[in-house]
């Protein structure tokens, strides 16, 4: 999915191949929250609900799927079993979309059987972040995350929010050569 196909030409969908600093103001999103492993049953329920509501909006909606991930555990997040991960999945909305259109889309999508009541319109502001584009399979992200961590340490920064991923390629893509994911981490001075 190319975000420019949906009319999104701003920096939200752009990141260098090496760690960099960026700042992001508010954006409007459709959001569904849950707990469980990426690609698991609960995750699938959230994705289905998001796309059901997005598909019922009055204008075509082609933004890539995004996720914010966290754990509620004292261990490093990659040491926590994936079925214990928490997430917010979301799709970006046009900033000028009437909020009532989301309510109407939810009602229109209700007969689909998707868990549309889980989908809410939210304003997301990330502020200052460290980010980069990860090329390759999701399982290989720890190497890119280590680069982000090293960059944060060099810049005297600490995590200040949940880990954010933007799936620029279709989440069902299996060819690592075609997979691109923006990894983004809100930060604050350490």
């Amino acid at each position: 999915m190319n975000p420019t196909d949906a009319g999104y030409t701003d920096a939200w969908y752009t990141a260098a191949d090496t760690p960099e600093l960026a700042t992001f103001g508010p954006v409007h999103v459709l959001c569904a929250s849950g707990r469980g492993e990426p690609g698991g049953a609960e995750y699938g329920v959230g994705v289905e609900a998001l796309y059901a509501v997005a598909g019922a909006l009055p204008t075509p909606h082609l933004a890539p799927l995004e996720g914010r991930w966290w754990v509620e555990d004292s261990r490093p997040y990659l040491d926590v079993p994936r079925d214990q991960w928490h997430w917010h999945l979301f799709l970006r909305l046009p900033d000028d979309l009437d909020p009532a259109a989301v309510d109407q889309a939810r009602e229109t999508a209700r007969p689909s059987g998707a868990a549309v009541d889980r989908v809410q319109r939210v304003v997301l502001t990330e502020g200052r972040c460290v980010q980069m584009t990860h090329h390759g399979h999701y399982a290989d992200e720890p190497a890119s995350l280590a680069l982000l961590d090293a960059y944060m340490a060099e810049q005297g920064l600490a995590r200040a929010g949940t880990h954010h991923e933007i799936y620029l390629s279709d989440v069902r893509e299996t060819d690592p050569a075609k997979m691109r994911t923006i990894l983004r981490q809100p930060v604050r001075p350490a």
Side-chain angles (χ1 to χ4, degrees), residues 70 95 131:
W70 74 98
D95 292 335
Q131 67 174 7

Side-chain angles (χ1 to χ4, degrees), residues 88-189:
H88 298 302
L89 299 176
F90 50 97
L91 296 169
R92 185 160 173 202
L93 295 169
D95 292 335
D96 61 354
L97 182 70
D98 181 354
V102 173
D103 294 333
Q104 181 59 48
R106 192 180 305 106
E107 291 309 311
T108 300
R110 190 171 303 286
S112 72
V116 297
D117 288 327
R118 293 179 63 173
V119 178
Q120 303 299 318
R121 180 181 176 274
V122 176
V123 178
L124 173 67
T125 302
E126 294 207 292
R128 191 171 187 209
C129 299
V130 172
Q131 67 174 7
M132 70 178 287
T133 299
H134 170 74
H135 296 267
H137 197 277
Y138 306 123
D140 298 329
E141 284 182 10
S144 293
L145 294 171
L147 292 173
L148 287 177
D149 287 341
Y151 183 79
M152 285 187 282
E154 289 169 12
Q155 300 295 315
L157 300 168
R159 295 176 187 278
T162 55
H163 170 71
H164 181 179
E165 297 186 354
I166 302 173
Y167 309 106
L168 297 177
S169 44
D170 188 312
V171 294
R172 298 167 294 190
E173 178 61 62
T174 58
D175 181 356
K178 296 179 181 176
M179 298 173 77
R180 293 182 309 125
T181 306
I182 293 177
L183 305 177
R184 188 174 289 160
Q185 178 62 54
V187 293
R188 60 170 175 76

